[in-house]
Amino acid sequence: MTDQHFASPNEIRAKFSQAMSAMYQKEVPLYGELLELVAETNRQVLREDDALAHRLQITGEIDRLAMERHGAIRVGTARELQTLRRLFAVMGMSPVGYYDLAVAGVPVHSTAFRAVHESDLQASPFRIFTSLLRLELIEDEALRELAQRLLERRHIFTERALELISLHEIQGGLDGDQAREFVVQALETFRWHSSATVSTHEYQLLHDQHRLIADVVAFKGPHINHLTPRTLNIDRVQSAMPGCGITPKAVIEGPPPRRCPILLRQTSFKALEEDVAFIEPDGHQVAGHHTARFGEIEQRGVALTPKGRALYDRLLQDTNDALQAPATESNAAQYRQLLIENFQAFPDDYQTLREQQLAWFRYFPTECGLAAKEALDKQSTLEQLIALDYVRFQPLVYEDFLPVSAAGIFQSNLGDNPQSQFATASSRTAFEQALGAKVIDELELYQQTQQRSLQACAQTLGLSTLELEA
Ligand code: OOG
Ligand code: NI
């Protein structure tokens, strides 16, 4: 139950997302430039492509586009992850999906905190890709203990943030003043600190084990490591980036360019080398460097059903097998060509994607459907209504991430040489234990949204139900 005097979680999330973006623009000015480039490109695309503009109008995505972004953070302990879960709950964000990156040589597993209902996503689609370091994958025992010691003694939340999180749990919400204070306090956790918590020597040890370990363990908190705006044409932004002094990575992760975009395409620019101060055992500070924070852009397309996703995974695997080497600068053109060739097998019109049940859609009654409402045959099927143009369908946007792409993004800012795989079982259960909750299955969410749109359609047209053909 939501009480009237409580601030809405959607509003808190929108405010927080805005505050985080403002903070990151100050911390990493290049991100601000990227935002401008993306906004300008989106305006251009919308001017040129009426059909796309119309579609985004119907789905409502046009209203959320300018505020749409995701961020990423990495934490070190179950306690940190659990408290983050409680913190994000204040903003109406739940853990969705499980991503195992150990298989790609990155010693973390992850989830994405985000809103789950389409109306809440519409209010603010802000997402945070959140990774937990898997300390058990550090083989060197002394080093593992050092990492554990460092993590155990740090406090990544302000006292007041913790109080407000508890208050939210006890009261069932936060009032306006508390919500404003919460945004300020919660933001502190994600701020960049240029002073490390370790000596140069310790940093080197952690770094040599894995750069990511140093990034998580050697600092006061889980600094936001990138914020990613959503573009309507990633190829165009990618080719405009160098002109703005931004060098993108060689390969765009995800599917090839298509008429009907699917899932998610992403590219990042390399992490920046930043000045940090290490703290030596005798207490004095020594200047050094750390590279962690970077920029990224993404283009989102239609969410895929399990069948569509299986096809995507297979075609991507075929592409990588055919390349016979990791995709890098030197074989980028060949990779792109192979990707395009392999994905010929993926239908590229919404009609077929829907008929073959490869993707999720939302259904909307049309003007003429509404006009014909009284005279409608109550037994009409969905397919008949579509044929009559009484009902139309629109692609349901993908709100999540892709493990192979995420690994590619991690790799690119950890240095281009992919590290060897960790021989380990994927451990969703261990992740959920650390999180203190189950992660939500994203496919169920898409299915529910599609179903709700069918129900709403039926109701508006005065029918008892509307269903997809089996
Ligand atoms: C997260 C990398 C994954 C994405 O968009 O797939 C990611 C990280 O580097 O912490 O952000
Ligand atoms: Ni990202």
Side-chain angles (χ1 to χ4, degrees):
M1 261 211 2
T2 52
D3 201 303
Q4 260 186 334
H5 71 275
F6 288 145
S8 91
N10 286 349
E11 222 164 279
I12 306 179
R13 182 171 67 260
K15 291 261 164 59
F16 181 81
S17 165
Q18 213 171 24
M20 191 167 235
S21 181
M23 179 175 85
Y24 201 60
Q25 270 179 76
K26 274 199 208 130
E27 290 181 351
V28 181
L30 221 47
Y31 164 67
E33 281 172 45
L34 191 62
L35 281 187
E36 273 172 40
L37 177 61
V38 167
E40 178 48 35
T41 309
N42 286 352
R43 279 193 293 272
Q44 257 175 31
V45 172
L46 288 170
R47 272 199 304 272
E48 291 164 16
D49 189 342
D50 288 341
L52 177 65
H54 182 65
R55 190 158 54 241
L56 296 181
Q57 200 97 48
I58 293 177
T59 62
E61 280 162 81
I62 200 120
D63 299 318
R64 59 179 240 192
L65 191 61
M67 60 168 152
E68 184 151 357
R69 62 185 73 93
H70 84 252
I73 51 172
R74 307 152 182 171
V75 290
T77 66
R79 189 170 55 120
E80 291 178 350
L81 183 65
Q82 263 181 50
T83 312
L84 277 179
R85 172 176 58 75
R86 296 168 56 218
L87 177 143
F88 287 127
V90 177
M91 307 185 230
M93 297 163 86
S94 308
V96 179
Y98 172 73
Y99 303 88
D100 179 16
L101 295 162
V103 291
V106 186
V108 303
H109 44 184
S110 321
T111 190
F113 287 96
R114 67 168 176 92
V116 297
H117 191 288
E118 59 276 14
S119 60
D120 298 324
L121 286 161
Q122 178 63 19
S124 168
F126 185 53
R127 328 164 173 81
I128 291 269
F129 192 88
T130 303
S131 301
L132 174 66
L133 182 62
R134 297 179 68 178
L135 277 180
E136 74 274 15
L137 299 184
I138 303 183
E139 272 161 29
D140 181 333
E141 199 175 323
L143 196 63
R144 194 167 60 233
E145 276 164 17
L146 168 68
Q148 244 148 6
R149 220 169 37 245
L150 289 163
L151 288 169
E152 263 153 34
R153 71 171 193 222
R154 74 177 185 177
H155 298 280
I156 66 171
F157 304 97
T158 69
E159 282 301 318
R160 188 62 187 145
L162 293 172
E163 279 167 22
L164 289 163
I165 292 170
S166 297
L167 199 60
H168 169 267
E169 287 165 351
I170 295 163
Q171 297 179 156
L174 295 181
D175 70 26
D177 286 343
Q178 291 163 350
R180 272 186 288 281
E181 203 189 351
F182 172 82
V183 169
V184 174
Q185 293 291 329
L187 197 61
E188 286 307 307
T189 295
F190 308 102
R191 192 181 287 288
W192 170 250
H193 299 277
S194 58
S195 48
T197 56
V198 296
S199 67
T200 317
H201 176 65
E202 287 168 329
Y203 178 84
Q204 212 52 52
L205 289 175
L206 295 165
H207 183 277
D208 290 350
Q209 180 73 36
H210 199 294
R211 265 168 72 168
L212 191 90
I213 297 174
D215 185 56
V216 177
V217 173
F219 293 89
K220 287 183 187 140
H223 40 259
I224 176 88
N225 68 49
H226 66 283
L227 271 184
T228 305
R230 174 175 169 191
T231 168
L232 297 173
N233 189 330
I234 195 168
D235 299 291
R236 205 182 278 191
V237 178
Q238 162 115 342
S239 52
M241 276 159 83
C244 300
I246 309 172
T247 315
K249 78 194 255 303
V251 171
I252 294 182
E253 301 288 343
R258 296 162 47 90
R259 269 198 310 275
C260 303
I262 52 173
L263 297 172
L264 177 63
R265 300 181 68 213
Q266 300 174 298
T267 187
S268 57
F269 62 79
K270 298 259 164 71
L272 316 162
E273 187 175 88
E274 300 180 273
D275 294 335
V276 295
F278 295 110
I279 179 107
E280 300 310 307
D282 65 3
H284 86 276
Q285 296 199 339
V286 172
H289 298 290
H290 178 67
T291 42
R293 299 186 306 162
F294 60 101
E296 184 191 38
I297 48 171
E298 66 183 16
Q299 181 175 355
R300 291 188 172 263
V302 67
L304 300 183
T305 61
K307 182 180 167 197
R309 180 54 187 267
L311 180 59
Y312 170 80
D313 286 339
R314 180 164 69 73
L315 298 178
L316 189 66
Q317 185 64 52
D318 289 351
T319 306
N320 284 315
D321 289 349
L323 193 67
Q324 292 178 327
T328 57
E329 201 107 13
S330 59
N331 56 14
Q334 193 198 355
Y335 176 76
R336 194 180 146 93
Q337 196 49 42
L338 284 169
L339 193 64
I340 290 170
E341 278 165 26
N342 275 290
F343 273 79
Q344 297 290 333
F346 211 117
D348 196 9
D349 64 280
Y350 290 123
Q351 183 76 26
T352 313
L353 289 171
R354 194 187 77 86
E355 278 166 10
Q356 296 189 6
Q357 299 196 8
L358 292 166
W360 303 106
F361 290 88
R362 274 194 288 175
Y363 295 84
F364 301 88
T366 62
E367 299 268 313
C368 48
L370 291 172
K373 177 177 172 179
E374 300 309 324
L376 259 190
D377 174 359
K378 299 293 177 222
Q379 305 305 315
S380 302
T381 65
L382 178 62
E383 302 311 312
Q384 287 165 340
L385 295 174
I386 290 173
L388 287 165
D389 197 29
Y390 289 176
V391 167
R392 276 190 209 152
F393 52 89
Q394 298 292 348
L396 176 55
V397 67
Y398 188 59
E399 304 283 356
D400 294 288
F401 295 87
L402 296 168
V404 176
S405 299
I409 299 288
F410 265 108
Q411 297 302 1
S412 79
N413 58 75
L414 293 173
D416 247 342
N417 43 341
Q419 315 219 358
S420 58
Q421 291 188 201
F422 290 96
T424 169
S426 157
S427 61
R428 183 190 185 119
T429 320
F431 184 80
E432 289 178 333
Q433 246 156 30
L435 179 69
K438 288 224 171 295
V439 298
I440 299 170
D441 175 1
E442 66 276 18
L443 293 169
E444 277 172 29
L445 299 177
Y446 295 117
Q447 210 257 329
Q448 287 163 7
T449 298
Q450 176 170 288
Q451 196 52 35
R452 275 192 288 267
S453 83
L454 283 167
Q455 259 158 21
C457 232
Q459 199 172 20
T460 315
L461 294 172
L463 307 174
S464 61
T465 101
L466 276 177
E467 274 161 27
L468 284 189
E469 263 167 36

